[in-house]
Amino acid sequence: MSARIRTFVENYDEKLNGGIPQGHVVLLAGSPGTMKSSLAYSILYRNVIEEGKKGLYISLEQNRESLEDQMESLQMSREEVESKLAVLDLAGMRIRIGGLEGGSLMNMLKMYVMNIKRSFDFDLLVLDSADALRVLAEFEDFDLEYFKLFKWLKGLRITSFLISELPYPSSSSRNGHDFDFVGGEKKDFLADGILLLTMDQMGQFETQRRLRCVKMRGTAHDTGYFVLGFDSGTFTATKAVA
Ligand SMILES: Nc1ncnc2c1ncn2[C@@H]1O[C@H](COP(=O)(O)OP(=O)(O)OP(=O)(O)O)[C@@H](O)[C@H]1O
Ligand SMILES: [Mg+2]
């Protein structure tokens, strides 16, 4: 069996045959507030602490301060992972450079990542988010650029997570495949794996966060919905029952 990257979501890695196959490009898709950023950061964080890996988190939406404050509030302390988990703050940087054309933003992103890779050989990468990239870069041919982005990520020979925003509200009553995960034409086939985060209505007034693995190449995974909880710094998955 190929090496696997654990998600460290309690009770969930065993549902993924031990984790995500190393080298996969995985979409982490969900509607607003489903904890996409938190889960992605937590995967890097725990892999740094428990597996001695290195992670790069590229943020195009939240600036570094906002992201790190949020993770501190989720008991993921910056000091614990200093020098092993880098945050590339393109949200903040983009304001300073301003007015870049689409192609240039993409080139800048690639250039930064390649430079960082030379001095800081990261194993895991998060791009938060594909949608922000699409909006900011104003690609003329997004389908083509998106295809090239996947190829490029794959070529880095790391495990990467691409965050993808889904329309609100999303509900598990809809099958994951109903969604177009990245806007425009269906491009889900480009990803090696898709993890879906939902916030589902329970009765009239309550909601519940859920996690489902829509696909994971090379893995006999559970395709069901799991209730996603968060407790003292750890995400947990519990089988959702009707
Ligand atoms: N300390 C905490 N404990 C539990 N849940 C929290 C805590 N802090 C924030 N949250 C929840 O996490 C949500 C935000 O998580 P996160 O930013 O990871 O979601 P997201 O899916 O990335 O959101 P966005 O669509 O804004 O990118 C908040 O809306 C809140 O409900
Ligand atoms: Mg987010």
Side-chain angles (χ1 to χ4, degrees), residues 196-214:
L196 175 67
L197 292 168
T198 62
M199 187 128 53
D200 293 282
Q201 198 168 335
M202 300 289 289
Q204 239 184 316
F205 305 111
E206 301 298 319
T207 58
Q208 189 178 64
R209 286 199 172 85
R210 291 182 191 164
L211 165 65
R212 163 166 131 76
C213 179
V214 176

Side-chain angles (χ1 to χ4, degrees), residues 7-216:
T7 63
F8 289 96
V9 175
E10 218 168 284
N11 301 324
Y12 200 63
D13 285 318
E14 51 267 43
K15 305 294 188 289
L16 296 175
N17 247 357
I20 295 159
Q22 209 168 320
H24 267 21
V25 179
V26 177
L27 276 185
L28 195 54
S31 60
T34 48
M35 300 189 89
K36 300 177 294 297
S37 302
S38 308
L39 178 60
Y41 190 93
S42 154
I43 294 173
L44 299 199
Y45 187 87
R46 294 291 294 274
N47 272 283
V48 163
I49 290 180
E50 319 228 3
E51 306 283 355
K53 302 227 182 271
K54 288 184 186 156
L56 175 65
Y57 193 107
I58 304 173
S59 180
L60 287 143
E61 293 190 356
Q62 270 177 286
N63 65 32
R64 180 203 304 267
E65 199 182 4
S66 154
L67 183 78
E68 286 180 353
D69 281 354
Q70 181 180 329
M71 300 313 154
E72 290 277 349
S73 88
L74 294 168
Q75 295 157 63
M76 291 184 273
S77 142
R78 184 78 209 119
E79 286 91 70
E80 291 284 323
V81 289
E82 202 130 55
S83 81
K84 288 282 193 89
L85 201 170
V87 176
L88 177 59
D89 182 359
L90 284 186
M93 211 177 288
R94 156 178 79 78
I95 295 164
R96 290 196 292 278
I97 48 180
L100 269 181
E101 284 173 18
S104 337
L105 179 76
M106 197 65 172
N107 287 339
M108 187 184 85
L109 172 76
K110 288 181 183 170
M111 191 189 75
Y112 270 115
V113 171
M114 297 312 280
N115 278 340
I116 294 170
K117 186 90 173 100
R118 273 192 280 276
S119 52
F120 173 73
D121 193 14
F122 53 88
D123 316 277
L124 301 166
L125 176 131
V126 170
L127 183 64
D128 187 0
S129 67
D131 308 81
L133 186 63
R134 185 181 68 223
V135 171
L136 295 173
E138 297 173 340
F139 297 126
E140 282 187 9
D141 187 348
F142 178 68
D143 288 357
L144 180 65
E145 291 298 333
Y146 200 75
F147 183 75
K148 289 201 283 195
L149 175 66
F150 267 90
K151 269 192 72 175
W152 178 73
L153 284 173
K154 201 75 190 160
L156 288 175
R157 302 194 172 281
I158 53 168
T159 309
S160 45
F161 297 87
L162 200 51
I163 294 184
S164 166
E165 192 86 35
L166 294 179
Y168 160 84
S170 70
S171 155
S172 61
S173 61
R174 293 175 64 184
N175 183 295
H177 281 296
D178 291 348
F179 295 119
D180 175 6
F181 286 107
V182 282
E185 294 294 306
K186 268 200 174 292
K187 287 179 282 292
D188 309 346
F189 66 90
L190 291 171
D192 297 310
I194 300 177
L195 293 173
L196 175 67
L197 292 168
T198 62
M199 187 128 53
D200 293 282
Q201 198 168 335
M202 300 289 289
Q204 239 184 316
F205 305 111
E206 301 298 319
T207 58
Q208 189 178 64
R209 286 199 172 85
R210 291 182 191 164
L211 165 65
R212 163 166 131 76
C213 179
V214 176
K215 78 167 194 183
M216 193 61 68

